[in-house]
Amino acid sequence: MKSIFSLITILFVSAQLFAQDDLSALFKDEKKSHDPVSATFKTSRLNMSHSIEVVGAHQLDFRISHNFSEIGSGTSHNMYGFNQVSNIRIALEYGINKNLTFGLGSSKGFGSAKELYDGYLKYKLLRQTIDNKMPVSVTLLGVATISGMKASTDTTSEVHYTTNTERLSYCTQVLIARKFSEKLSIQLMPTYIHRNLVSYGDENDFFAVGFAGRYKFTKRSAVVIDYYKPFSSYRNSIHKTGGYYNPLGIGYEIETGGHVFHVSLINTGGLVETDFIPNSPTSWTKNFGVRMGFNISRWFHIY
């Protein structure tokens, strides 16, 4: 993962140098140089993560996400993981206005906590402008999840719930992105995770930083990458014994009219930040511990 982290860092620095050119020349379809840059990312999601994009005012985004079982540990009897769904999420996300989005979702859950219900608020604070007066876009994200599963009888388990409050987990992110050209966009994701109940020895709170990039190579398709580095002593100690890895997703994005599809390879089965950032038990480089995932998005105009 260190090499991946270094590669992303080099890409970000290189893109910053590239951006010293007159950005307005890269967006010939924009009418005014002080206008906001449009379509930094195609949808509100990447492979795993949120992007800086919000749902348009009075629009409804219906989303379905799947993650299948591991490819490397699969067999011909389960089509190497493709016949087994490890997680699924169904969600509705509504644009309250042009800057604020509210979403609700339900997922099977990937870690110890199952039957997850999530809600989020997402606010676009700053918008990048073509004339570089505002060089980046900034979006604030707050996510809360609650588990509806039956409590475990194991007192050391992170799902030994004795109150409903213990079922709650939270994620706060600042999403910072820049569109460097019509093809290239990069995003930085400082992240704070809090879980009210964790297993013995784990941390209730930890920070992480995420990196993401999108490279558009045709009018309707792009490659999307997102990656997280948690700053967690508990996870670092487990990683030394081969039990925890940093989440990495590499995917292909295609737009078909009113739908946007993401087909990805990811080394985690979680579909919500409080699930996939703490839980990545397999590795890209060990036994090809990745799974295929996909997102489908369909937008509707309410009024």
Side-chain angles (χ1 to χ4, degrees), residues 167-241:
R167 297 175 176 271
L168 289 163
S169 298
Y170 306 92
C171 172
T172 303
Q173 288 189 312
V174 180
L175 309 176
I176 307 165
R178 180 174 175 84
K179 187 174 183 178
F180 291 99
S181 71
E182 291 186 1
K183 293 181 177 293
L184 178 65
S185 299
I186 291 180
Q187 180 170 291
L188 179 68
M189 299 172 284
T191 303
Y192 172 72
I193 298 287
H194 172 80
R195 295 168 296 159
N196 284 350
L197 183 66
V198 297
S199 59
Y200 180 77
D202 201 349
E203 302 140 320
N204 294 92
D205 304 86
F206 67 89
F207 289 93
V209 63
F211 298 91
R214 176 180 183 263
Y215 186 81
K216 183 178 178 181
F217 58 90
T218 72
K219 183 178 180 180
R220 295 184 179 274
S221 60
V223 171
V224 180
I225 298 174
D226 48 357
Y227 168 78
Y228 282 87
K229 169 62 178 175
F231 297 100
S232 163
S233 57
Y234 176 77
R235 278 155 188 78
N236 289 340
S237 64
I238 292 178
H239 174 69
K240 292 177 182 178
T241 62

Side-chain angles (χ1 to χ4, degrees), residues 281-302:
T282 56
S283 169
W284 277 73
T285 56
K286 291 185 178 181
N287 300 320
F288 199 54
V290 299
R291 60 195 73 231
M292 193 184 85
F294 71 84
N295 302 318
I296 302 174
S297 171
R298 181 66 170 93
W299 288 31
F300 300 89
H301 291 271
I302 301 302

Side-chain angles (χ1 to χ4, degrees), residues 33-50:
S33 62
H34 59 272
D35 283 350
V37 169
S38 62
T40 302
F41 296 96
K42 192 63 185 178
T43 74
S44 63
R45 288 298 201 285
L46 305 169
N47 299 303
M48 304 175 286
S49 317
H50 280 264

Side-chain angles (χ1 to χ4, degrees), residues 34 79 92 103 121 135 160 181 261 270:
H34 59 272
M79 282 292 293
L92 291 173
L121 283 173
H160 178 65
S181 71
F261 296 88

